[in-house]
Amino acid sequence: MEHRSQSFQAAYGSFLVIPLKYDPDTLDRARLERAAPCVPMTTMDLNENIKAMLDPASGSSVGTCYAVSRSFLTAALEPKPGADGPCCFRVTDCGQSFDFSVNDSFLYVFHTRVAFLCLSLSFSCIEALETICNPGWAHNPAVFEWLDAQQNAHTFSMENWLSAFLAPLGIRKFFDGDASYLLDAYAYILAVVPQWFQELDPMRRITFNLHKMMSPDTPMEDASEEDIRYVFAAKNLDRQAYRWGCCVASQTISYVVARADMDLAAEQRVQAEDGLPMVVLSLYEKYTCLRFTELITHLKKDQIKELKELMLNFQAFGTVTPASISRWHNVKRIYANLLEVNDIPAAVGDISSKLNILASHQQEIEHARSETVINIITLFGIVSILASVLSIVQILSDGDMLIWASTILTTIMLALVTALAVYRR
């Protein structure tokens, strides 16, 4: 039986940003581009040079965003081609069931061999997201079902579904092993409410509860959470009120937004255009560092140059500072908080150290190789000199006075030229 909170009017949605990885020789980019068109960056919240980072036609591009339709995403769940697909979804745990919807989503693919599936969900109560993600636990005992047009329930595995969608594209789970796709998912949580806010405290309380995936009207405090940062919209002078606020944490970012029309779908489109790219860019830096660490661990000799170039390009073009990401101060603060709570500057610094070690090791290998070549050339030079001396001796022993005289004069001239050069220096 689905539980609903009656005392607080809100509509809820979320993007579950799932970290993924791929290898260049297995990524089926052609298949992806046929099924999912590229998404242009049109937001005004990001500066033009930052938007160019997600423009495939730009020379500074670090990745591409693809629009994944709901039908393409859920095709792996259909029992057979042409059969009726899911109308809605349901998750059940501990005797409680919650309905939720899967919407058009996004797939970000970056050149550093990392990717992110931004799975768009909507639901009528926030507890549905808690049951889907099961935060704080490595495994989720919840049962997932999709319902067809006749309301028949079909049980499915979230892991098998995501694998069936991603594997044909050559993309796989970021961390190998049996862990769930959703274990490391970053939750971008959204609540749409009808009224603007006169004070900051209500937004702070609501967004904190959203971060905990609990109903906004539930009394909730947790002094143990030290990675919480709040950012709010500027006060509207006409209304003398605030329209939105957000809570940034290491595993979630939670927004509450006021809309008189309570149009959750429209607000999700706005968030996907304005807020989601910024969150994905910060996670891209984090998981690129983790990906490089993995690649270095399994590095082969013929891959050193390629990986070194990849890492240099990431450091030069792939990292973004809060000062350069946007013209708006609150957007800068959100991005700065994302970097801080995820300790991304330290991760980038660690990659710099690894890059220096890799470069030093490569230089040692090249130096040793050069010394070997020089030693071989020197050996051949010594042999050549000995052969020349023997040839001269043979010529002198068989020659007349003219050969002797020319040889002596040539030797004297060379000695004088050498002495003069040494003297002038």
Side-chain angles (χ1 to χ4, degrees):
M1 180 177 181
E2 185 171 347
H3 170 74
R4 297 175 184 268
S5 176
Q6 302 292 341
S7 58
F8 187 86
Q9 185 181 3
Y12 303 99
S14 176
F15 295 103
L16 294 182
V17 186
I18 303 171
L20 307 164
K21 63 183 178 182
Y22 68 91
D23 295 318
D25 54 344
T26 60
L27 177 65
D28 192 346
R29 195 177 291 272
R31 178 190 180 117
L32 176 59
E33 291 175 350
R34 286 195 303 268
C38 296
V39 178
M41 291 292 111
T42 58
T43 176
M44 297 305 295
D45 282 1
L46 301 180
N47 288 330
E48 295 303 317
N49 59 325
I50 305 302
K51 290 192 286 186
M53 295 175 64
L54 295 171
D55 180 4
S58 170
S60 59
S61 173
V62 299
T64 306
C65 175
Y66 298 93
V68 180
S69 66
R70 183 184 184 275
S71 58
F72 179 39
L73 190 61
T74 60
L77 292 174
E78 296 176 5
K80 58 183 179 179
D84 292 336
C87 289
C88 64
F89 292 79
R90 179 182 298 157
V91 60
T92 303
D93 188 28
C94 298
Q96 285 191 314
S97 295
F98 304 96
D99 292 340
F100 66 96
S101 298
V102 175
N103 312 313
D104 294 343
S105 302
F106 302 92
L107 180 64
Y108 286 81
V109 179
F110 292 93
H111 301 331
T112 52
R113 305 180 191 179
V114 298
F116 298 92
L117 174 62
C118 303
L119 189 62
S120 177
L121 308 176
S122 55
F123 26 83
S124 58
C125 55
I126 192 64
E127 289 85 357
L129 182 61
E130 181 186 21
T131 309
I132 293 170
C133 296
N134 197 31
W137 301 91
H139 299 282
N140 191 351
V143 176
F144 291 88
E145 297 174 315
W146 62 270
L147 281 66
D148 57 26
Q150 289 74 38
Q151 296 299 301
N152 297 318
H154 305 264
T155 303
F156 71 98
S157 165
M158 179 69 74
E159 309 307 309
N160 293 342
W161 170 38
L162 294 176
S163 293
F165 167 69
L166 295 167
L169 300 174
I171 302 174
R172 61 190 190 276
K173 186 167 49 178
F174 190 87
F175 293 106
D176 299 327
D178 298 330
S180 168
Y181 275 94
L182 302 185
L183 179 62
D184 296 287
Y186 192 88
Y188 188 118
I189 307 171
L190 172 66
V192 175
V193 297
Q195 301 295 330
W196 287 50
F197 297 90
Q198 301 299 320
E199 303 292 339
L200 297 180
D201 284 343
M203 288 190 291
R204 185 179 288 109
R205 174 178 54 80
I206 291 170
T207 54
F208 180 77
N209 278 26
L210 292 175
H211 153 69
K212 302 295 286 185
M213 299 182 187
M214 300 182 65
S215 178
D217 57 352
T218 301
M220 181 66 195
E221 291 184 4
D222 190 349
S224 67
E225 300 239 22
E226 299 179 353
D227 64 338
I228 301 296
R229 307 287 187 274
Y230 295 98
V231 181
F232 306 100
K235 194 171 189 177
N236 184 283
L237 298 180
D238 295 331
R239 291 175 175 260
Q240 286 296 303
Y242 304 94
R243 195 178 74 87
W244 64 265
C246 80
C247 170
V248 182
S250 58
Q251 293 180 305
T252 66
I253 182 169
S254 308
Y255 281 87
V256 60
V257 181
R259 285 184 68 113
D261 58 5
M262 291 289 290
D263 191 339
L264 175 65
E267 187 59 36
Q268 281 189 294
R269 289 192 293 270
V270 171
Q271 295 293 327
E273 179 181 339
D274 294 339
L276 188 60
M278 176 179 58
V279 172
V280 173
L281 281 174
S282 67
L283 294 177
Y284 148 72
E285 294 185 32
K286 173 183 176 179
Y287 281 94
T288 291
C289 295
L290 293 172
R291 182 70 165 131
F292 281 161
T293 301
E294 179 189 21
L295 293 173
I296 290 172
T297 303
H298 303 93
L299 191 63
K300 297 179 181 178
K301 290 183 179 180
D302 58 346
Q303 297 175 329
I304 292 178
K305 184 177 180 180
E306 179 186 359
L307 180 59
K308 182 179 175 182
E309 183 178 353
L310 198 64
M311 294 170 72
L312 284 172
N313 286 334
F314 167 68
Q315 286 187 301
F317 306 110
T319 56
V320 180
T321 61
S324 62
I325 195 166
S326 176
R327 57 182 61 85
W328 312 118
H329 177 71
N330 47 20
V331 175
K332 293 178 184 178
R333 290 308 311 155
I334 292 172
Y335 183 73
N337 291 334
L338 286 167
L339 297 184
E340 181 183 355
V341 297
N342 285 283
D343 208 15
I344 293 174
V348 175
D350 181 59
I351 281 297
S352 299
S353 299
K354 288 181 170 65
L355 176 60
N356 292 333
I357 294 172
L358 189 64
S360 177
H361 178 63
Q362 180 69 9
Q363 288 178 354
E364 290 177 359
I365 293 175
E366 293 176 354
H367 182 67
R369 186 180 299 129
S370 298
E371 284 190 342
T372 302
V373 173
I374 291 172
N375 290 335
I376 293 173
I377 293 174
T378 303
L379 179 61
F380 279 104
I382 294 172
V383 174
S384 177
I385 292 171
L386 291 175
S388 299
V389 170
L390 291 174
S391 298
I392 293 171
V393 171
Q394 182 67 33
I395 292 170
L396 292 175
S397 63
D398 298 336
D400 53 17
M401 289 301 296
L402 180 61
I403 294 176
W404 276 94
S406 61
T407 302
I408 291 171
L409 289 174
T410 303
T411 303
I412 292 172
M413 289 298 296
L414 290 174
L416 289 174
V417 171
T418 303
L420 181 62
V422 171
Y423 174 76
R424 289 180 64 85
R425 185 172 181 180

